[in-house]
Amino acid sequence: MRILALYNIKGGVGKTAGSVNLAWLAASHGYRTLLWDLDPQAAASFYFRIQPKVAGGGEELVVGKTNISDIVKSTSFKNLDLLPADFSYRNLDLMLAADSKPAMQLMRLLRPLSSLYDLLILDCPPSISLVSENIFRAADALLVPVIPTTLSVRTYEQLLEFLANNQLTDLAPTFPYFSMVDLRKRLHKRTTEKLPQMYPEMLSTQIPNASDIERMGVMRAPVGVYAPNGAGGVAFNNLWQEIREKLAL
Ligand SMILES: Nc1ncnc2c1ncn2[C@@H]1O[C@H](COP(=O)(O)OP(=O)(O)OP(=O)(O)O)[C@@H](O)[C@H]1O
Ligand SMILES: [Mg+2]
């Protein structure tokens, strides 16, 4: 099982849109896929019409009382399961901190899933915390949506600094990609031209700012279900192909 985390310290950059669409695309290409909604806001669970509730909450999960495969829900799509969020995940940091090896705990929890799925996608909450450190250790790659503005670029630099300061750079390679791109804006145009020169790990697919993607909240489905040939659907398909090739999935 390969593990991809959609991660950014910054909120509202397209992590959930990326997780939901990439998970759906992977599943529709035959990968047995599990999407874990780690955000107490439960947006990914909402998109798949799954109740954000975990019996026993985060606490029983973290201490090992809940078997993780018992809380998996199937979606209405073939090959695609979801681990729903729970409101108690807002305290996941405290729950993890109570453990003797808090930074390794997520990996331990995930072990029983490894033979059941080809791909695990983590939809992460926007913060940098003990939960994120667990994610960095468990994930094979961090996919980082970056809006081409100065502040968003700055948070990518902060992530790289954090990884370097904690000896995590090799453990969690980062693959940033541009999200919510509007090339009519000068700043977006300039940033999308300049940044890949500074960061060669940047993926070449750009996700445009597209009303089709925004409509996911109304349709409650991945964009490829209702608008596969629109700008958003095509871009996510390209992103999936690029990731699949780059990571040899
Ligand atoms: N490419 C896009 N074009 C237009 N709207 C988008 C795009 N991607 C995401 N959105 C919209 O922007 C908002 C934030 O996106 P999303 O929830 O994916 O971000 P996030 O990084 O997961 O946010 P959070 O940090 O709150 O979890 C949502 O309303 C979503 O519908
Ligand atoms: Mg989100």
Side-chain angles (χ1 to χ4, degrees), residues 8 10-18 39 41 43 47 123-126 145 179-181 207-217 236:
N8 194 321
K10 200 166 161 52
V13 296
K15 296 179 294 294
T16 300
D39 190 339
Q41 294 176 96
Y47 285 134
D123 182 20
C124 305
S179 173
M180 301 190 196
V181 177
I207 305 298
N209 191 321
S211 49
D212 279 349
I213 300 176
E214 218 172 340
R215 265 169 57 221
M216 283 172 61
F236 272 119

Side-chain angles (χ1 to χ4, degrees), residues 27 68 70 77 93 140 153 156 165 190 201 219 226 240:
I68 196 159
D70 291 342
F77 303 102
D93 252 43
D140 294 298
V153 171
Y156 180 59
N165 292 340
R190 229 171 357 154
E201 70 272 28
M219 304 302 283
Y226 58 88
W240 159 248

Side-chain angles (χ1 to χ4, degrees), residues 79-94:
N79 293 324
L80 183 56
D81 289 346
L82 183 118
L83 269 171
D86 190 273
F87 193 55
S88 65
Y89 284 2
R90 68 196 189 284
N91 299 320
L92 215 50
D93 252 43
L94 296 173

Side-chain angles (χ1 to χ4, degrees), residues 164-201:
N165 292 340
N166 292 281
Q167 286 78 46
L168 289 163
T169 306
D170 297 330
L171 263 182
T174 53
F175 296 91
Y177 64 90
F178 287 118
S179 173
M180 301 190 196
V181 177
D182 182 352
L183 291 176
R184 291 169 307 182
K185 293 182 178 161
R186 270 184 65 195
L187 180 60
H188 280 219
K189 190 155 188 304
R190 229 171 357 154
T191 312
T192 51
E193 286 164 359
K194 257 182 54 192
L195 212 63
Q197 296 167 11
M198 291 167 66
Y199 299 110
E201 70 272 28

